[in-house]
Each structure stands twice: as C-alpha cells, then as structure tokens.
C-alpha cells in the first residue's frame, strides 16, 4: 500500500484490519467488500457491480480514518487521503477542477480515495451566501464524479455529521457504516492492550468511559508519561 496525503498530516502506523476494534456488523460488511474486490473478475462476468462507495459516519475518534487505511492495506491499493475542510478553495471553481483531477487519478490508479469531513460539501446546498450557487455546482460535480467512478477504485467518505448531508449525495453510497462510541467492556479491552506494552509500574491508570478510542489512547499515554517522568526525576535526586 502506498499513501498519498492531500490536506491532512498523519504519523499513525497503518494497522491491519484484525487489529482494529470494529463492531461485528462493520466487520462483516468490510469482509464482504474485500471479497468483492478479490473476486472482481468473477463478478464482472455476470455484470455484477462491486459496492465501491462507502460512507463512514459516527463519533469522532472511533476509527473511521484508521479503518479506511486498513482497507487499503488489505487490498494492497494506494490510498489518496483528501480532507475537504482543508482543501476547498475560496475560488470554488478551482476546487471543482481539483477534486475532478483527484477522482480521475483514483480511477486510473484503481486506488482507495478517502474523503474526510465529507459534510463540508455535503451540506453546502443549505448555505445562503453569495457563493451558494457555486457551492451547489460543486456538490453536483461531486455527485457526477461519484457516479462515474471506476468499479475497481474504492471511494470511502467519512463524516461526523451524517444528518446534514444532502440526500442526493447519500443515495450514492451503497454501504453506510456507523462508528459508535465503544462500550465499557470494549474500552477495557483497549485499555489493557495499551498498558500491557509498558512495565507493570506504569499500568495502573485511571480509566474513563463513554469516550472514543482516540480519547482513551490520549488519556492512557498522558498518565503513563507522567509516571515515567516522575520515576526519572526520582533517579536524579
């Protein structure tokens, strides 16, 4: 898997799908997706389309980006990451052209195109500004690009605000996977995985619940760092 990053910075290591904490429903849907790409030639013989347009939605920090990267890794495809919040230009006509070029590239290279903050354009038909006409044209451009995406490329869009996205855009996605906050037991498993990497004297941490995996990771690492630094300071005295 190679990685093209447009609009966001990421230092996270790409995890294998089995290392992610996916719900059973999401895992089954992704397994089916991987199978369809694996047996693409067989499906094509019978004119059966691949479900290659997926929408990830739900709480921030629950694994949408990590899952997109893991899917690309599993398929051995290049991933092109586009953060719309950083990408949309003040000159909206240029934005339409640039997004068209990115879709064209994804199709030609049979890549995974991951669009984050998809609601940034998905909700623009409701905007009442001097640019609203141009924004509507941008949404229409994206609809056409989605409709004409090659079958052997994969589009994954992600949003924390699915309820604001235009229904015409939502209809383009064959699969919609929801990423919920983890339950207490799921968080405990994750906390255990995190702290088990460290010596026992650093493993006793305060655990919060009703938070995302990303928040749990930050909380854990902050506490472990404090313990480690405190230990180092005692060595200096």
């Amino acid at each position: 898997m190679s990685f093209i990053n447009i609009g966001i910075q990421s230092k996270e290591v790409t995890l294998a799908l089995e290392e992610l904490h996916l719900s059973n429903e999401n895992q089954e849907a992704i397994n089916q997706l991987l199978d369809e790409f694996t047996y693409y030639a067989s499906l094509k013989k019978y004119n059966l389309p691949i479900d290659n347009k997926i929408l990830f939605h739900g709480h921030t920090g629950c694994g949408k980006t990590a899952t997109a990267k893991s899917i690309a890794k599993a398929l051995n495809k290049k991933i092109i990451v586009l953060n719309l919040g950083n990408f949309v230009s003040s000159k909206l006509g240029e934005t339409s052209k640039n997004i068209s070029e990115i879709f064209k590239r994804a199709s030609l290279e049979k890549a995974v195109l991951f669009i984050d903050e998809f609601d940034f354009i998905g909700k623009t038909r409701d905007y009442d500004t001097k640019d609203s006409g141009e924004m509507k044209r941008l949404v229409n451009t994206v609809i056409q690009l989605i409709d004409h995406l090659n079958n052997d490329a994969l589009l994954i869009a992600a949003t924390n605000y699915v309820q604001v996205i235009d229904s015409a855009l939502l209809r383009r996605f064959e699969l919609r996977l929801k990423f919920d906050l983890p339950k207490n037991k799921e968080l405990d498993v994750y906390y255990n995985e995190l702290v088990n990497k460290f010596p026992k004297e650093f493993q006793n941490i305060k655990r919060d619940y009703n938070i995302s995996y990303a928040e749990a990771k930050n909380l854990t690492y902050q506490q472990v760092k404090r313990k480690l630094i405190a230990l180092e300071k005692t060595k200096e005295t």
Side-chain angles (χ1 to χ4, degrees):
M1 179 196 73
S2 55
F3 182 85
I4 305 296
N5 197 341
I6 303 172
I8 68 170
Q9 296 297 319
S10 176
K11 297 180 181 178
E12 292 287 334
V13 175
T14 300
L15 300 174
L17 281 167
E18 57 268 20
E19 296 178 275
L20 299 177
H21 294 261
L22 296 169
S23 68
N24 290 336
E25 183 180 1
N26 286 355
Q27 185 66 68
E28 289 177 6
I30 290 170
N31 287 344
Q32 172 70 20
L33 169 74
L34 298 179
D35 284 343
E36 289 187 16
F37 272 92
T38 301
Y39 297 98
Y40 172 68
S42 299
L43 297 176
K44 191 176 181 181
K45 276 195 243 180
Y46 295 95
N47 293 318
L48 289 168
I50 286 179
D51 289 340
N52 67 332
K53 303 172 188 74
I54 310 172
L55 181 70
F56 291 170
H57 63 96
H59 198 282
T60 184
C62 288
K64 295 187 289 293
T65 301
T67 302
K69 292 179 181 178
S70 296
I71 289 172
K73 181 177 182 178
L75 292 173
N76 196 28
K77 285 181 175 290
K78 177 185 292 183
I79 182 167
I80 301 170
V81 178
L82 172 62
N83 186 306
L84 282 179
N86 297 335
F87 186 77
V88 174
S89 169
S90 57
K91 298 178 180 179
L92 293 175
E94 292 182 9
T95 299
S96 293
K97 179 182 176 182
N98 292 337
I99 290 179
S100 297
E101 288 299 317
I102 292 169
F103 267 84
K104 181 180 178 181
R105 181 178 183 179
S107 286
L108 288 173
E109 298 182 3
K110 302 177 182 179
V112 174
L113 173 55
F114 176 61
I115 303 180
D116 202 5
E117 294 191 21
F118 190 67
D119 52 278
F120 195 85
I121 62 165
K123 64 184 179 182
T124 53
R125 290 192 177 196
D126 296 328
Y127 286 178
D128 185 18
T129 70
K130 64 180 181 180
D131 292 325
S132 62
E134 191 62 52
M135 293 295 266
K136 289 177 182 177
R137 284 189 283 274
L138 173 58
V139 174
N140 288 332
T141 295
V142 172
I143 287 174
Q144 292 174 22
L145 291 169
I146 293 174
D147 286 344
H148 292 94
L149 183 71
N150 284 355
N151 261 344
D152 44 9
L154 173 60
L155 170 65
I156 303 175
T159 178
N160 301 333
Y161 308 104
V162 68
Q163 67 277 5
V164 305
I165 294 180
D166 189 283
S167 60
L169 276 167
L170 286 178
R171 287 197 299 271
R172 266 62 195 182
F173 294 93
E174 299 104 348
L175 298 175
R176 302 179 201 174
L177 306 187
K178 187 177 182 182
F179 287 71
D180 291 314
L181 284 176
K183 298 174 183 176
N184 291 0
K185 288 183 179 180
E186 294 168 335
L187 272 176
D188 275 328
V189 170
Y190 187 59
Y191 278 124
N192 290 340
E193 289 179 1
L194 291 173
V195 298
N196 285 342
K197 302 173 185 176
F198 304 106
K200 286 188 176 180
E201 59 266 33
F202 302 137
Q203 293 182 12
N204 185 21
I205 63 166
K206 176 182 176 292
R207 301 184 177 198
D208 284 351
Y209 298 92
N210 197 34
I211 61 176
S212 69
Y213 287 117
E215 291 168 319
K217 183 177 181 180
N218 288 337
L219 176 67
T220 299
Y221 284 177
Q222 287 164 5
Q223 294 181 73
V224 171
K225 286 186 288 186
R226 281 197 294 269
K227 290 176 182 290
L228 175 58
I229 291 169
L231 179 63
E232 292 300 315
K233 285 182 176 180
T234 62
K235 295 178 182 178
E236 296 172 358
T237 58

Short mmCIF file of all heavy atoms in Angstrom, two decimals, residues 96-144:
data_model
loop_
_atom_site.label_atom_id
_atom_site.label_comp_id
_atom_site.label_asym_id
_atom_site.label_seq_id
_atom_site.Cartn_x
_atom_site.Cartn_y
_atom_site.Cartn_z
N SER A 96 -13.66 22.58 -7.77
CA SER A 96 -14.32 21.57 -8.61
C SER A 96 -13.32 20.92 -9.55
O SER A 96 -13.30 19.69 -9.71
CB SER A 96 -15.45 22.21 -9.42
OG SER A 96 -16.50 22.64 -8.59
N LYS A 97 -12.47 21.72 -10.16
CA LYS A 97 -11.48 21.20 -11.08
C LYS A 97 -10.48 20.30 -10.36
O LYS A 97 -10.14 19.20 -10.84
CB LYS A 97 -10.74 22.35 -11.76
CG LYS A 97 -9.65 21.91 -12.72
CD LYS A 97 -8.92 23.11 -13.32
CE LYS A 97 -7.77 22.66 -14.21
NZ LYS A 97 -7.03 23.83 -14.77
N ASN A 98 -10.03 20.73 -9.18
CA ASN A 98 -9.03 19.96 -8.44
C ASN A 98 -9.60 18.64 -7.94
O ASN A 98 -8.92 17.60 -7.99
CB ASN A 98 -8.52 20.79 -7.26
CG ASN A 98 -7.69 21.99 -7.70
OD1 ASN A 98 -7.14 22.00 -8.80
ND2 ASN A 98 -7.61 22.99 -6.86
N ILE A 99 -10.84 18.66 -7.46
CA ILE A 99 -11.46 17.42 -7.00
C ILE A 99 -11.67 16.47 -8.18
O ILE A 99 -11.49 15.25 -8.05
CB ILE A 99 -12.78 17.71 -6.27
CG1 ILE A 99 -12.51 18.39 -4.92
CG2 ILE A 99 -13.59 16.43 -6.05
CD1 ILE A 99 -13.74 18.74 -4.12
N SER A 100 -12.03 17.02 -9.33
CA SER A 100 -12.19 16.18 -10.52
C SER A 100 -10.89 15.48 -10.87
O SER A 100 -10.88 14.29 -11.24
CB SER A 100 -12.65 17.04 -11.71
OG SER A 100 -13.93 17.59 -11.47
N GLU A 101 -9.77 16.19 -10.74
CA GLU A 101 -8.47 15.59 -11.03
C GLU A 101 -8.14 14.46 -10.05
O GLU A 101 -7.57 13.44 -10.43
CB GLU A 101 -7.37 16.67 -10.99
CG GLU A 101 -7.41 17.64 -12.16
CD GLU A 101 -7.19 16.93 -13.50
OE1 GLU A 101 -6.31 16.06 -13.58
OE2 GLU A 101 -7.92 17.24 -14.45
N ILE A 102 -8.53 14.65 -8.80
CA ILE A 102 -8.25 13.62 -7.78
C ILE A 102 -9.09 12.37 -8.05
O ILE A 102 -8.59 11.24 -7.96
CB ILE A 102 -8.52 14.19 -6.37
CG1 ILE A 102 -7.48 15.27 -6.05
CG2 ILE A 102 -8.48 13.07 -5.32
CD1 ILE A 102 -7.81 16.07 -4.81
N PHE A 103 -10.36 12.54 -8.39
CA PHE A 103 -11.20 11.39 -8.74
C PHE A 103 -10.63 10.67 -9.97
O PHE A 103 -10.62 9.43 -10.02
CB PHE A 103 -12.63 11.84 -9.01
CG PHE A 103 -13.54 11.77 -7.81
CD1 PHE A 103 -13.58 12.81 -6.91
CD2 PHE A 103 -14.36 10.67 -7.59
CE1 PHE A 103 -14.41 12.77 -5.80
CE2 PHE A 103 -15.20 10.61 -6.50
CZ PHE A 103 -15.23 11.65 -5.59
N LYS A 104 -10.19 11.44 -10.95
CA LYS A 104 -9.63 10.85 -12.17
C LYS A 104 -8.40 10.02 -11.82
O LYS A 104 -8.23 8.90 -12.31
CB LYS A 104 -9.26 11.96 -13.16
CG LYS A 104 -8.68 11.44 -14.47
CD LYS A 104 -8.35 12.60 -15.41
CE LYS A 104 -7.72 12.10 -16.71
NZ LYS A 104 -7.40 13.24 -17.61
N ARG A 105 -7.58 10.56 -10.95
CA ARG A 105 -6.37 9.85 -10.53
C ARG A 105 -6.71 8.55 -9.80
O ARG A 105 -6.11 7.51 -10.04
CB ARG A 105 -5.54 10.75 -9.63
CG ARG A 105 -4.26 10.15 -9.14
CD ARG A 105 -3.52 11.16 -8.30
NE ARG A 105 -2.24 10.66 -7.86
CZ ARG A 105 -1.40 11.37 -7.12
NH1 ARG A 105 -1.71 12.61 -6.76
NH2 ARG A 105 -0.25 10.85 -6.75
N ALA A 106 -7.70 8.63 -8.91
CA ALA A 106 -8.12 7.43 -8.17
C ALA A 106 -8.63 6.36 -9.11
O ALA A 106 -8.33 5.16 -8.93
CB ALA A 106 -9.19 7.81 -7.14
N SER A 107 -9.39 6.76 -10.12
CA SER A 107 -9.92 5.78 -11.08
C SER A 107 -8.80 5.15 -11.90
O SER A 107 -8.76 3.93 -12.08
CB SER A 107 -10.93 6.45 -12.01
OG SER A 107 -12.15 6.70 -11.34
N LEU A 108 -7.89 5.97 -12.40
CA LEU A 108 -6.81 5.46 -13.24
C LEU A 108 -5.89 4.51 -12.47
O LEU A 108 -5.40 3.52 -13.01
CB LEU A 108 -6.00 6.62 -13.81
CG LEU A 108 -6.67 7.45 -14.91
CD1 LEU A 108 -5.82 8.67 -15.26
CD2 LEU A 108 -6.92 6.60 -16.15
N GLU A 109 -5.66 4.82 -11.20
CA GLU A 109 -4.73 4.03 -10.40
C GLU A 109 -5.42 2.94 -9.59
O GLU A 109 -4.78 2.24 -8.82
CB GLU A 109 -3.94 4.96 -9.47
CG GLU A 109 -3.10 5.98 -10.23
CD GLU A 109 -2.28 6.88 -9.31
OE1 GLU A 109 -2.32 6.68 -8.07
OE2 GLU A 109 -1.61 7.78 -9.83
N LYS A 110 -6.76 2.83 -9.79
CA LYS A 110 -7.54 1.81 -9.06
C LYS A 110 -7.29 1.92 -7.55
O LYS A 110 -7.10 0.93 -6.85
CB LYS A 110 -7.21 0.41 -9.56
CG LYS A 110 -7.45 0.22 -11.05
CD LYS A 110 -7.04 -1.16 -11.50
CE LYS A 110 -7.24 -1.32 -13.01
NZ LYS A 110 -6.82 -2.66 -13.48
N ALA A 111 -7.27 3.15 -7.07
CA ALA A 111 -6.87 3.44 -5.70
C ALA A 111 -8.08 3.52 -4.77
O ALA A 111 -9.24 3.50 -5.19
CB ALA A 111 -6.10 4.76 -5.66
N VAL A 112 -7.76 3.64 -3.49
CA VAL A 112 -8.76 3.99 -2.49
C VAL A 112 -8.72 5.50 -2.32
O VAL A 112 -7.66 6.07 -2.01
CB VAL A 112 -8.48 3.31 -1.14
CG1 VAL A 112 -9.46 3.80 -0.07
CG2 VAL A 112 -8.56 1.80 -1.27
N LEU A 113 -9.84 6.16 -2.54
CA LEU A 113 -9.94 7.59 -2.31
C LEU A 113 -10.72 7.80 -1.01
O LEU A 113 -11.90 7.47 -0.93
CB LEU A 113 -10.66 8.28 -3.48
CG LEU A 113 -10.99 9.77 -3.30
CD1 LEU A 113 -9.74 10.58 -2.97
CD2 LEU A 113 -11.68 10.33 -4.54
N PHE A 114 -10.04 8.31 0.00
CA PHE A 114 -10.66 8.54 1.30
C PHE A 114 -10.91 10.04 1.47
O PHE A 114 -9.97 10.84 1.52
CB PHE A 114 -9.78 8.03 2.43
CG PHE A 114 -10.32 8.32 3.80
CD1 PHE A 114 -11.55 7.83 4.21
CD2 PHE A 114 -9.60 9.10 4.69
CE1 PHE A 114 -12.06 8.10 5.46
CE2 PHE A 114 -10.09 9.38 5.96
CZ PHE A 114 -11.33 8.88 6.35
N ILE A 115 -12.18 10.43 1.54
CA ILE A 115 -12.55 11.84 1.68
C ILE A 115 -13.05 12.06 3.10
O ILE A 115 -14.11 11.57 3.49
CB ILE A 115 -13.63 12.25 0.67
CG1 ILE A 115 -13.16 11.97 -0.75
CG2 ILE A 115 -13.96 13.73 0.84
CD1 ILE A 115 -14.18 12.37 -1.82
N ASP A 116 -12.28 12.80 3.88
CA ASP A 116 -12.67 13.11 5.25
C ASP A 116 -13.41 14.45 5.30
O ASP A 116 -13.28 15.26 4.39
CB ASP A 116 -11.43 13.16 6.14
CG ASP A 116 -11.75 12.94 7.60
OD1 ASP A 116 -12.92 12.65 7.92
OD2 ASP A 116 -10.84 13.05 8.44
N GLU A 117 -14.19 14.64 6.37
CA GLU A 117 -15.04 15.83 6.52
C GLU A 117 -15.93 16.00 5.29
O GLU A 117 -16.09 17.10 4.74
CB GLU A 117 -14.19 17.08 6.75
CG GLU A 117 -13.43 17.06 8.07
CD GLU A 117 -12.82 18.39 8.44
OE1 GLU A 117 -13.27 19.44 7.91
OE2 GLU A 117 -11.89 18.39 9.24
N PHE A 118 -16.55 14.92 4.88
CA PHE A 118 -17.37 14.93 3.67
C PHE A 118 -18.55 15.89 3.79
O PHE A 118 -19.04 16.41 2.78
CB PHE A 118 -17.87 13.52 3.39
CG PHE A 118 -18.53 13.35 2.06
CD1 PHE A 118 -17.80 13.46 0.89
CD2 PHE A 118 -19.89 13.09 1.96
CE1 PHE A 118 -18.42 13.32 -0.36
CE2 PHE A 118 -20.51 12.94 0.74
CZ PHE A 118 -19.77 13.05 -0.43
N ASP A 119 -19.01 16.12 5.00
CA ASP A 119 -20.13 17.04 5.21
C ASP A 119 -19.78 18.47 4.82
O ASP A 119 -20.68 19.30 4.67
CB ASP A 119 -20.57 17.00 6.68
CG ASP A 119 -19.41 17.22 7.62
OD1 ASP A 119 -18.68 16.24 7.89
OD2 ASP A 119 -19.21 18.35 8.10
N PHE A 120 -18.49 18.77 4.65
CA PHE A 120 -18.10 20.13 4.30
C PHE A 120 -18.73 20.58 3.00
O PHE A 120 -19.10 21.73 2.83
CB PHE A 120 -16.57 20.25 4.20
CG PHE A 120 -16.08 21.67 4.22
CD1 PHE A 120 -15.86 22.32 5.41
CD2 PHE A 120 -15.84 22.35 3.03
CE1 PHE A 120 -15.43 23.64 5.43
CE2 PHE A 120 -15.41 23.66 3.04
CZ PHE A 120 -15.20 24.30 4.25
N ILE A 121 -18.84 19.65 2.03
CA ILE A 121 -19.58 20.00 0.82
C ILE A 121 -20.98 19.39 0.85
O ILE A 121 -21.89 19.89 0.21
CB ILE A 121 -18.87 19.56 -0.46
CG1 ILE A 121 -18.70 18.05 -0.51
CG2 ILE A 121 -17.55 20.28 -0.62
CD1 ILE A 121 -18.34 17.55 -1.88
N GLY A 122 -21.14 18.30 1.60
CA GLY A 122 -22.43 17.62 1.61
C GLY A 122 -23.56 18.49 2.10
O GLY A 122 -24.71 18.30 1.72
N LYS A 123 -23.24 19.47 2.95
CA LYS A 123 -24.30 20.31 3.50
C LYS A 123 -24.39 21.66 2.79
O LYS A 123 -25.20 22.50 3.17
CB LYS A 123 -24.02 20.57 4.98
CG LYS A 123 -22.76 21.35 5.27
CD LYS A 123 -22.52 21.48 6.77
CE LYS A 123 -21.24 22.25 7.04
NZ LYS A 123 -20.94 22.35 8.49
N THR A 124 -23.59 21.86 1.73
CA THR A 124 -23.49 23.20 1.15
C THR A 124 -24.74 23.65 0.42
O THR A 124 -24.89 24.83 0.15
CB THR A 124 -22.29 23.27 0.19
OG1 THR A 124 -22.40 22.21 -0.75
CG2 THR A 124 -20.99 23.16 0.94
N ARG A 125 -25.64 22.75 0.07
CA ARG A 125 -26.86 23.21 -0.60
C ARG A 125 -27.72 24.05 0.32
O ARG A 125 -28.61 24.76 -0.12
CB ARG A 125 -27.65 22.00 -1.10
CG ARG A 125 -26.98 21.28 -2.25
CD ARG A 125 -27.90 20.29 -2.91
NE ARG A 125 -27.26 19.65 -4.04
CZ ARG A 125 -27.91 18.97 -4.98
NH1 ARG A 125 -29.22 18.83 -4.92
NH2 ARG A 125 -27.27 18.42 -5.98
N ASP A 126 -27.47 23.98 1.62
CA ASP A 126 -28.23 24.76 2.58
C ASP A 126 -27.60 26.12 2.84
O ASP A 126 -28.17 26.94 3.55
CB ASP A 126 -28.34 24.01 3.91
CG ASP A 126 -29.11 22.72 3.76
OD1 ASP A 126 -30.02 22.70 2.92
OD2 ASP A 126 -28.80 21.76 4.48
N TYR A 127 -26.40 26.35 2.29
CA TYR A 127 -25.72 27.61 2.56
C TYR A 127 -26.46 28.76 1.87
O TYR A 127 -26.88 28.66 0.72
CB TYR A 127 -24.28 27.58 2.06
CG TYR A 127 -23.35 26.74 2.90
CD1 TYR A 127 -22.02 26.59 2.54
CD2 TYR A 127 -23.79 26.11 4.05
CE1 TYR A 127 -21.15 25.83 3.30
CE2 TYR A 127 -22.94 25.35 4.82
CZ TYR A 127 -21.62 25.21 4.45
OH TYR A 127 -20.78 24.47 5.20
N ASP A 128 -26.58 29.86 2.56
CA ASP A 128 -27.22 31.05 2.00
C ASP A 128 -26.18 32.17 1.96
O ASP A 128 -26.19 33.07 2.79
CB ASP A 128 -28.43 31.44 2.85
CG ASP A 128 -29.21 32.61 2.22
OD1 ASP A 128 -29.01 32.87 1.02
OD2 ASP A 128 -29.99 33.25 2.95
N THR A 129 -25.28 32.06 1.03
CA THR A 129 -24.21 33.05 0.91
C THR A 129 -24.10 33.46 -0.55
O THR A 129 -24.75 32.90 -1.43
CB THR A 129 -22.86 32.47 1.37
OG1 THR A 129 -22.44 31.49 0.41
CG2 THR A 129 -22.98 31.84 2.75
N LYS A 130 -23.22 34.40 -0.79
CA LYS A 130 -23.01 34.84 -2.17
C LYS A 130 -22.42 33.73 -3.03
O LYS A 130 -22.51 33.76 -4.25
CB LYS A 130 -22.10 36.07 -2.19
CG LYS A 130 -20.69 35.80 -1.67
CD LYS A 130 -19.84 37.06 -1.73
CE LYS A 130 -18.41 36.77 -1.23
NZ LYS A 130 -17.58 37.99 -1.29
N ASP A 131 -21.80 32.74 -2.38
CA ASP A 131 -21.19 31.65 -3.11
C ASP A 131 -22.09 30.43 -3.20
O ASP A 131 -21.65 29.37 -3.67
CB ASP A 131 -19.87 31.24 -2.44
CG ASP A 131 -18.80 32.31 -2.57
OD1 ASP A 131 -18.77 32.97 -3.61
OD2 ASP A 131 -18.01 32.46 -1.62
N SER A 132 -23.33 30.55 -2.74
CA SER A 132 -24.18 29.35 -2.65
C SER A 132 -24.38 28.70 -4.01
O SER A 132 -24.43 27.48 -4.12
CB SER A 132 -25.53 29.70 -2.02
OG SER A 132 -26.23 30.65 -2.81
N GLY A 133 -24.50 29.49 -5.06
CA GLY A 133 -24.67 28.92 -6.40
C GLY A 133 -23.48 28.10 -6.81
O GLY A 133 -23.62 26.99 -7.33
N GLU A 134 -22.28 28.62 -6.57
CA GLU A 134 -21.06 27.89 -6.91
C GLU A 134 -20.91 26.64 -6.04
O GLU A 134 -20.45 25.59 -6.51
CB GLU A 134 -19.84 28.80 -6.73
CG GLU A 134 -18.56 28.23 -7.31
CD GLU A 134 -18.65 28.02 -8.82
OE1 GLU A 134 -19.01 28.97 -9.54
OE2 GLU A 134 -18.37 26.88 -9.25
N MET A 135 -21.31 26.75 -4.79
CA MET A 135 -21.23 25.59 -3.90
C MET A 135 -22.17 24.49 -4.36
O MET A 135 -21.84 23.31 -4.32
CB MET A 135 -21.56 26.00 -2.46
CG MET A 135 -20.54 26.92 -1.83
SD MET A 135 -18.93 26.13 -1.60
CE MET A 135 -19.09 25.55 0.07
N LYS A 136 -23.35 24.86 -4.81
CA LYS A 136 -24.29 23.86 -5.33
C LYS A 136 -23.71 23.18 -6.57
O LYS A 136 -23.88 21.98 -6.76
CB LYS A 136 -25.63 24.52 -5.67
CG LYS A 136 -26.43 24.95 -4.45
CD LYS A 136 -27.70 25.68 -4.85
CE LYS A 136 -28.46 26.15 -3.62
NZ LYS A 136 -29.67 26.92 -3.98
N ARG A 137 -23.03 23.95 -7.40
CA ARG A 137 -22.40 23.36 -8.59
C ARG A 137 -21.29 22.39 -8.17
O ARG A 137 -21.09 21.36 -8.82
CB ARG A 137 -21.86 24.45 -9.51
CG ARG A 137 -22.95 25.16 -10.32
CD ARG A 137 -22.36 26.08 -11.38
NE ARG A 137 -21.88 27.30 -10.78
CZ ARG A 137 -22.65 28.38 -10.55
NH1 ARG A 137 -23.94 28.34 -10.85
NH2 ARG A 137 -22.13 29.46 -10.02
N LEU A 138 -20.59 22.74 -7.10
CA LEU A 138 -19.55 21.84 -6.60
C LEU A 138 -20.15 20.51 -6.14
O LEU A 138 -19.64 19.44 -6.44
CB LEU A 138 -18.80 22.51 -5.45
CG LEU A 138 -17.78 21.66 -4.70
CD1 LEU A 138 -16.72 21.13 -5.65
CD2 LEU A 138 -17.13 22.46 -3.57
N VAL A 139 -21.28 20.59 -5.42
CA VAL A 139 -21.96 19.36 -4.98
C VAL A 139 -22.39 18.54 -6.19
O VAL A 139 -22.21 17.32 -6.22
CB VAL A 139 -23.17 19.70 -4.09
CG1 VAL A 139 -23.96 18.44 -3.76
CG2 VAL A 139 -22.71 20.36 -2.80
N ASN A 140 -22.94 19.19 -7.19
CA ASN A 140 -23.37 18.48 -8.40
C ASN A 140 -22.18 17.83 -9.11
O ASN A 140 -22.29 16.72 -9.65
CB ASN A 140 -24.09 19.43 -9.35
CG ASN A 140 -25.46 19.82 -8.84
OD1 ASN A 140 -26.10 19.06 -8.11
ND2 ASN A 140 -25.92 21.01 -9.20
N THR A 141 -21.04 18.51 -9.11
CA THR A 141 -19.83 17.94 -9.70
C THR A 141 -19.43 16.67 -8.97
O THR A 141 -19.11 15.65 -9.59
CB THR A 141 -18.67 18.96 -9.65
OG1 THR A 141 -18.99 20.08 -10.47
CG2 THR A 141 -17.37 18.34 -10.13
N VAL A 142 -19.46 16.72 -7.63
CA VAL A 142 -19.07 15.55 -6.84
C VAL A 142 -20.03 14.40 -7.08
O VAL A 142 -19.62 13.24 -7.18
CB VAL A 142 -19.00 15.92 -5.34
CG1 VAL A 142 -18.80 14.67 -4.49
CG2 VAL A 142 -17.87 16.91 -5.09
N ILE A 143 -21.33 14.70 -7.20
CA ILE A 143 -22.31 13.64 -7.50
C ILE A 143 -21.96 12.95 -8.81
O ILE A 143 -21.97 11.72 -8.91
CB ILE A 143 -23.73 14.24 -7.55
CG1 ILE A 143 -24.20 14.59 -6.14
CG2 ILE A 143 -24.72 13.27 -8.21
CD1 ILE A 143 -25.54 15.33 -6.11
N GLN A 144 -21.64 13.72 -9.83
CA GLN A 144 -21.29 13.14 -11.13
C GLN A 144 -20.00 12.33 -11.04
O GLN A 144 -19.88 11.25 -11.65
CB GLN A 144 -21.14 14.26 -12.16
CG GLN A 144 -22.44 14.97 -12.50
CD GLN A 144 -22.23 16.17 -13.41
OE1 GLN A 144 -21.24 16.25 -14.11
NE2 GLN A 144 -23.17 17.10 -13.39
#
